[in-house]
Amino acid sequence: MAEGAAEAPAESGGGGDSGASAPERGVAPIKPQYLTTKEQFHEFLEARGQEKPSQETEAGDPGGSDLVEPEAKRIRLEDGQTGEAAEPGEQPQVQKRARGQNKGRPHMKPTHYDNNRLCPSLVQESAAKCFFGDRCRFLHDVGRYLETKPSDLGPRCVLFETFGRCPYGVTCRFAGAHLGPDGQNLVRDEWVQAPAVRNGLDKALQQLLRKRKVRFERAEQALRQLSRDRVPGPSPAAAVPEVAGAESAPGQDSGDTQQALPGPDAGALPSGSVWTRGPLTDEDVVRPRPCEKRKLDIHGKLYLAPLTTCGNLPFRRICKRFGADVTCGEMAVCTNLLQGQTSEWALLRRHQCEDVFGVQLEGAFPDTMTKCAELLNRTIEVDFVDINVGCPIDLVYKKGGGCALMNRSAKFQQIVRGMNQVLDVPLTVKIRTGVQERVNLAHRLLPELRDWGAALVTLHGRSREQRYTKLADWQYIEQCVTAASPMPLFGNGDILSYEDANRAMQTGVAGIMIARGALLKPWLFTEIKEQRHWDISSSERLAILQDFTRYGLEHWGSDTQGVEKTRRFLLEWLSFLCRYVPVGLLERLPQRINERPPYYLGRNYLETLMASQKAADWIRISEMLLGPVPPNFVFLPKHKANAYK
């Protein structure tokens, strides 16, 4: 009966307002013939999924905003570590726990990957010598490994078809596509090509960073100038000795740095000495002035925001395919980069399709930020570097980074000036309206940022205290455009349709940055460029997810760890995608970003499944793309409900 109710409205077309009551505030206006109840919604999904309804389905709150808690999380809640006890006969306050960041989730590192794990020396086909010698704790028996290895997830390997060789060999979860009759890893020489990803971390540089043997001469000179309260810049009197002696060109640093940083080999120079032999070039004498720096011309372009967790490289490839012009890597902590952490450097990777690409740094102190800027300036290829002055989370704010810099103008100034002096690419800044809700600071900071050397500023129309409780203040952004002039100002906040983008551009901003709108519907960039509403079908949306999984396997790997990491990032993205309401189901266009979708039955089963806000249904979608989940798999979304509150 539920299935017929879902498919009948698709034949009747639009229903208009016939017999419909006034729409509820904060709820997306869906045509009445598609609306349903929570019970009917889940019954429909369970009936088509041919599974018995779980007991957890009825355990939620009446509003249906809660998710089915995994066993590990339920144990914590039963122990009283999270949540408050309710009065007898009173409904428990579940919505208070379902707001914001999921801080109560247990952080469990999967240990089952290490069980019966094959030695990396065998995976990389160097069995003659084990990397770890007698201390090796991994398996060296390929036959024993294959006995316990799970079955393949499919007959085709993405890495083998893309690059002509799969580096994971027998450990690949699609190994049947590239293993020979004797278990050897096949290679198709005519297909072999280098990976299309740049900005990797060199092992030699990583060792030097961990041993703290990298010298940052340009950064140290800039910091000395800032400590003397001198405005950094080229001085005719001091240009020759300072630049030629203490500030070599990129890649010509002295000491241990030259072993890891790219560039021509050069001998170590004593501090303060002047190199007087060889041809004299302008680069040896005069450092480029700010006006001679590489320009960042992105006026009127669509800028994909640096999205923590979800703004990974596979997701950015999806957005580039739909028309995003400018992309930026996820927020990277500068202290972790200076320590050579592999996981942090992975955030800087750039795909070849990202023609205008930048990285975003977070930090609270001028010395670490300036040194990190000099390090990245010489080791990776980017078009700009962005400073995160908009992060609202406590982990960053309480250490003095993110939004806290807006109230620390002295350190903020030193960070911007110091980084601008050591970078050869433009420096941009992303800020909020302020820290407190009714105390706007951006209009006072923008003229100063222009004088400090920022090439572009992006303003998110909310304060830290406000988070997402109210709409972005585009009237204030319009006022800030005048304060920032002639420096370009990008606006950010609540862009979910081409009408929203058009209204935003009418404020006079140089361009718009899209964040949550891209997570809800990455085809938003196409809608803005073509000025239309795209009633995308469920099969087209599933094809987008298939592309994401293929890009994820290329990026994170096709072994068990890579597959499950791809699955986890896919599930985090699905926790946002479920908010999207198809265009053909809406009474009024467009959907607004602060409107939560009620329970509705889509035009087919897949469209209904994609509208579910249960983590179990997101896992079911992931199984369509990546095969069954392992028995000990637990998914706890970073945000409890990703709610519209």
Side-chain angles (χ1 to χ4, degrees), residues 357-416:
F357 174 75
V359 295
Q360 187 181 67
L361 299 181
E362 181 278 322
F365 302 100
D367 56 345
T368 55
M369 290 288 281
T370 306
K371 291 178 181 179
C372 187
E374 181 184 358
L375 176 65
L376 300 187
N377 188 65
R378 296 178 294 179
T379 54
I380 65 174
E381 299 178 20
V382 291
D383 298 297
F384 63 93
V385 174
D386 187 71
I387 306 177
N388 188 323
V389 195
C391 185
I393 63 174
D394 293 338
L395 182 66
V396 173
Y397 180 81
K398 290 183 178 180
K399 292 182 179 179
C403 282
L405 287 175
M406 298 187 71
N407 283 331
R408 308 172 71 192
S409 58
K411 287 191 178 298
F412 193 10
Q413 177 182 2
Q414 290 180 334
I415 289 174
V416 176

Side-chain angles (χ1 to χ4, degrees), residues 208-225:
L208 292 175
L209 288 172
R210 290 176 175 177
K211 295 177 181 179
R212 298 184 180 181
K213 290 186 177 181
V214 178
R215 298 172 60 181
F216 304 96
E217 296 182 348
R218 292 183 62 179
E220 291 172 357
Q221 181 182 1
L223 292 170
R224 285 195 298 269
Q225 290 181 344

Side-chain angles (χ1 to χ4, degrees), residues 431-498:
I431 63 175
R432 286 179 177 254
T433 58
V435 178
Q436 298 175 337
E437 184 173 352
R438 294 180 176 84
V439 182
N440 291 330
L441 303 174
H443 65 283
R444 297 205 303 263
L445 286 173
L446 286 171
E448 296 180 346
L449 286 170
R450 179 188 60 213
D451 298 336
W452 296 343
L456 179 144
V457 174
T458 303
L459 176 59
H460 183 186
R462 294 183 179 87
S463 63
R464 175 187 183 267
E465 188 178 75
Q466 181 182 351
R467 293 295 179 97
Y468 294 101
T469 56
K470 294 182 181 179
L471 294 176
D473 190 352
W474 279 93
Q475 292 183 352
Y476 179 66
I477 295 178
E478 185 175 6
Q479 299 174 10
C480 291
V481 171
T482 305
S485 181
M487 179 182 63
L489 180 72
F490 268 55
N492 171 229
D494 301 338
I495 306 294
L496 193 60
S497 64
Y498 74 88

Side-chain angles (χ1 to χ4, degrees), residues 167-187:
Y168 297 93
V170 70
T171 64
C172 176
R173 294 301 304 275
F174 310 87
H178 51 78
L179 288 184
D182 298 330
Q184 73 274 21
N185 196 25
L186 300 180
V187 178

